Amino acid sequence: MPSKSDLLRLIPKVDDLINNEKITEAAQSMCRQVVLESIREQVDETRKKILLMEESETAELDVGRLVDEIIARALGKNEMSLKRVINATGVILHTNLGRAPLNAGVKDAVWEIAENYSTLEYSIGTGSRGSRYDHVQGLIAKLAGAEAAFAVNNNAAAVLLVLSTLAKGCKVAVSRGELVEIGGSFRVPEIMEQSGARLVEVGSTNKTRISDYRKAMEEGDVGALLKVHTSNYKIVGFTEEVELAELVKLGEEYGIPVIHDLGSGALIDLGKYGISGEPTVQESMLSGADVVCFSGDKLLGGPQAGIIAGKKSLIDKMKKNPLTRAFRIDKLSLAALEATLRLYLDPDSAVSSIPVLSMMTMPIETIEARSATLCSLLAGKLQNCDVFVEDGHSQVGGGAMPLQNLPSKIVNIKPAKLTVQELETRLRGSKPPVIARIHKDHVCLDVRTMRDEDFPLVASAFEEALGKIWE
């Protein structure tokens, strides 16, 4: 049995390993410094393992395995941390997975701007400085039915900018039932505090009347009335809320602007597709709101952005606010937003071409056929697995339509020789990672949030995840 000293002497030198044929071949597309770093780290780990061995333990130094571990470590260091995944969860706007996937054609618009100089803040017509907001403000205004509009980097920034501009140092009246947490522990009251506005809670959690707002107005120093769309929860039962149009009348009576934080930002009436309960941006504008703000990467189906639409005089004030520069949208998001908005110029085409809308409105017959295809593919490749389709539900997600369950068909897989928890873990380690759900001791795949071209990749991920237990 070799001693610790013998094993330590068998560890190849760094110079020998860097010139190893297998490592040299694998390292052709990698930074030499990363490869060297990986060699040193792996050698150090190997040395520590040997030193920590009990004297009674038997061990050998497998140089071939050491080389493979070095290559795997180097490849891991070269991988992007931010990477694509296959979303098989059925949650369309999955916040942790990047929310809205973009239309395939949008990437051409983004890459055109990314690899070239652009007219970001340059006017070709005048040959002088332009405004980055000019690229989308006309489109947004047209689609929303507003006098003016512009975009910032997300909706929380939009709300903060609106309040800072219109109500800094003043009170802002909000229903207690609308003091939402928007995710990541960020809450409307905290955003209001940062804006310099002072929150005035009116009504109760479940019931707020126009008289509650009026009482706040009569107490004075109210700079704005804020209505927040409760897009990520619903209060049901013994409830009452003030409609936006009624709040607008009160605002007009006192000469106070009414702000509607719409959040999810639907530009198309989804009710005609059987998906009800989500107000559109156009409806908010028609109700008379002075300012409406909403997200770009939720129901609009574009990149992360905060969009502000409303009266031109108020929008112009916001553009002059120093916070606007801190919150300004970058050129790649701007390109993606403009390309997405242009798809809405043909609403019928938008529903089929914008992935979020296409997924939401996908007919159950289409889902059933696609589920059968994936089920057949998996059943034909996987041994010792129970594979079948059953009824289930998808979710909109992303803080939108919390009560809306979309009927779906779920592909269920249960391996005979592996726990579903271990299978799900292995799927996350595949390339690309497959993100699935576990329900009733089965790994569940919802094709609503998958593309047809994902199916072979998913099948390969399952084969790789289960391959070791069949050997």
Side-chain angles (χ1 to χ4, degrees), residues 30 107 137 177 188 208 240 269 310 338 352 354 358 391 448:
M30 297 187 225
K107 68 182 179 185
Q137 63 182 1
V188 164
T208 301
E240 184 178 345
D269 180 9
E338 180 183 358
S352 61
I354 295 175
S358 176
D391 292 339
R448 187 189 291 272

Side-chain angles (χ1 to χ4, degrees), residues 13 16 75 110 123 325 393-394 459:
K13 295 179 179 179
D16 293 335
L75 288 171
V110 173
S123 169
R325 182 172 179 83
H393 291 91
S394 311

